[in-house]
Amino acid sequence: DPREVVERLDAWAVRNTPEMCFVTLWCGRIDADGTVRFVDAGHGLALVLRADGSVEYPEQGRRPPIGIEPMPCELIELKLEQGDSLILFSDGLIEEPAADDSDLAGVLYGLDRVKDSVGRVGADAQAIHDELVRWSGRTRFSDDLTILVIQKND
């Protein structure tokens, strides 16, 4: 149960991490039938690309990062159908600024651009990354960048 895992990690982190330190995470379980049960602890960066091309941003149930103070978790559930994809990514994707020499210098890539990118290129981590490279004008980023794609195919 992802809720139990996060609550136990949270209790440990509160006791064992320095003050003002915390951890964001997404902890989930995906069953063979496509049921996804997860806890979002301050991460908040997941999209669902449906087989019909629609992009959803599951907004419900977020809790603060672990290590701040012990608190209960809300278990969120969603269903992936045949051809649907779950896309998880780090904040390095949405917080990358535009190229310094562009009209958008200093503007962050943002969640809306990620959603638009996924709508254009689909659930392809490399293509999503390539769109960020083109937009930002750089291949090295100021923050870590992780993109994980999980697709339901029988």
Side-chain angles (χ1 to χ4, degrees):
D1 177 4
R3 180 177 35 216
E4 181 182 337
V5 170
V6 172
E7 287 175 355
R8 291 180 70 179
L9 279 171
D10 193 24
W12 178 89
V14 166
R15 291 189 315 270
N16 294 287
T17 55
E19 193 171 321
M20 300 303 295
C21 288
F22 58 87
V23 177
T24 64
L25 64 89
W26 188 97
C27 179
R29 175 188 170 124
I30 304 172
D31 295 330
D33 70 353
T35 301
V36 180
R37 291 177 186 87
F38 67 94
V39 171
D40 182 346
H43 188 71
L45 300 172
L47 296 175
V48 176
L49 175 62
R50 298 293 180 188
D52 68 4
S54 62
V55 179
E56 299 172 7
Y57 177 55
E59 296 185 51
Q60 76 280 13
R62 278 194 207 89
R63 55 152 283 157
I66 66 170
I68 298 172
E69 64 181 60
M71 61 185 61
C73 298
E74 180 180 346
L75 189 65
I76 310 303
E77 187 172 308
L78 61 86
K79 180 83 171 197
L80 296 177
E81 302 295 343
Q82 177 68 19
D84 290 348
S85 298
L86 175 63
I87 304 165
L88 304 169
F89 49 95
S90 64
D91 61 358
L93 182 58
I94 62 170
E95 293 176 356
E96 188 61 32
D100 293 336
D101 62 350
S102 80
D103 293 341
L104 298 173
V107 173
L108 302 182
Y109 196 59
L111 182 61
D112 287 338
R113 283 187 184 85
V114 175
K115 288 163 53 174
D116 291 346
S117 175
V118 168
R120 275 190 304 280
V121 303
D124 180 331
Q126 185 62 55
I128 295 166
H129 175 269
D130 292 347
E131 289 226 331
L132 176 65
V133 167
R134 277 191 293 281
W135 185 83
S136 68
R138 62 182 71 83
T139 57
R140 292 191 165 272
F141 306 112
S142 57
D143 196 359
D144 65 289
L145 178 61
T146 302
I147 303 169
L148 173 66
V149 174
I150 302 164
Q151 187 171 45
K152 181 170 186 329
N153 290 317
D154 291 331

